Amino acid sequence: GAVVSQHPSRVICKSGTSVKIECRSLDFQATTMFWYRQFPKQSLMLMATSNEGSKATYEQGVEKDKFLINHASLTLSTLTVTSAHPEDSSFYICSASVRSGANVLTFGAGSRLTVL
Amino acid sequence: QKEVEQDPGPLSVPEGAIVSLNCTYSNSAFQYFMWYRQYSRKGPELLMYTYSSGNKEDGRFTAQVDKSSKYISLFIRDSQPSDSATYLCAMSGQAGTALIFGKGTTLSVSS
């Protein structure tokens, strides 16, 4: 089946540094990928929609200069958390649509970011 | 009112019980309905997918969608301890758009 690989699974960084999270579709091409954020015991909140070859579309309230998204190829999207602060600590999950014309999303395993 | 409402639980049942999980929603444009299962510290995995109204069965799992009531359900028969997880309902309108998730219901099945 379709697999979305996300890396790293866990990262700890110091406040003020930047962290990059990669999301890859391993056996299919994904023109669109979605980035979600999940706080403990909360639901997944959509941060942005990443489109291959164009700028990402951010949800209201998400700072595009802080959460940089790049979708340079049909199999790779990256999320960079710039100048991270402790409040950015969260579980970040990417997803991609596998079936054309349907809305079935396959999710990566998630990346847990801890900012000290 | 949030777009998707889901009781977070927790819900505790004995092994073998029938579990009923549900979500309500407010956006009548939603056409795609899904249930995902999420284990702790993992990404969600798709359990059931339904387009528009109706029922769908897959093994011990049955998904129901009632668009007239804006209500969806997931039933788990013969629940097992391995079913212990958080179950998230998700839905969207047009194909290719992002999913809107419920808060998730935490289920615990005891042996």
Side-chain angles (χ1 to χ4, degrees), chain A residues 21-41:
Chain A
I21 300 170
E22 293 187 347
C23 180
R24 295 180 184 273
S25 56
L26 295 187
D27 49 3
F28 66 100
Q29 293 183 331
T31 55
T32 302
M33 289 186 176
F34 303 96
W35 286 93
Y36 288 83
R37 182 175 181 175
Q38 187 177 34
F39 290 106
K41 299 187 179 182

Side-chain angles (χ1 to χ4, degrees), chain A residues 10 32 34 36 38 41-44 46 49 91 93 97 99 101-110 112, chain B residues 32 34 36 38 41-46 49 88 91-104:
Chain A
R10 301 186 70 173
T32 302
F34 303 96
Y36 288 83
Q38 187 177 34
K41 299 187 179 182
Q42 297 293 317
S43 186
L44 283 75
L46 179 66
T49 301
F91 193 51
I93 314 175
S97 180
R99 288 158 53 178
N103 255 22
V104 177
L105 294 185
T106 296
F107 285 83
R112 183 162 300 282
Chain B
Y32 301 89
M34 279 140 278
Y36 283 83
Q38 185 177 27
R41 302 174 184 266
K42 300 291 185 183
E45 55 176 326
L46 180 68
Y49 164 81
L88 298 139
M91 50 198 79
S92 70
Q94 297 177 353
T97 58
L99 298 180
I100 306 301
F101 283 84
K103 274 191 172 183

Side-chain angles (χ1 to χ4, degrees), chain B residues 48-67:
Chain B
M48 300 290 284
Y49 164 81
T50 309
Y51 172 70
S52 194
S53 285
N55 296 353
K56 188 171 186 179
E57 186 173 324
D58 184 3
R60 297 185 294 110
F61 299 90
T62 299
Q64 291 184 349
V65 175
D66 182 349
K67 289 188 71 178

Side-chain angles (χ1 to χ4, degrees), chain A residues 40-86:
Chain A
K41 299 187 179 182
Q42 297 293 317
S43 186
L44 283 75
M45 299 300 296
L46 179 66
M47 297 176 67
T49 301
S50 169
N51 300 296
E52 187 267 336
S54 64
K55 290 183 178 180
T57 303
Y58 290 83
E59 294 300 300
Q60 190 174 9
V62 177
E63 298 176 60
K64 62 180 181 181
D65 293 331
K66 180 167 191 62
F67 299 100
L68 300 179
I69 291 173
N70 183 275
H71 196 156
S73 76
L74 288 172
T75 59
L76 174 64
S77 177
T78 61
L79 168 68
T80 301
V81 183
T82 62
S83 186
H85 291 283

Side-chain angles (χ1 to χ4, degrees), chain A residues 12-19 83-86 114-116:
Chain A
I12 301 173
C13 69
K14 292 182 179 179
S15 185
T17 60
S18 295
V19 174
S83 186
H85 291 283
T114 302
V115 184
L116 302 177

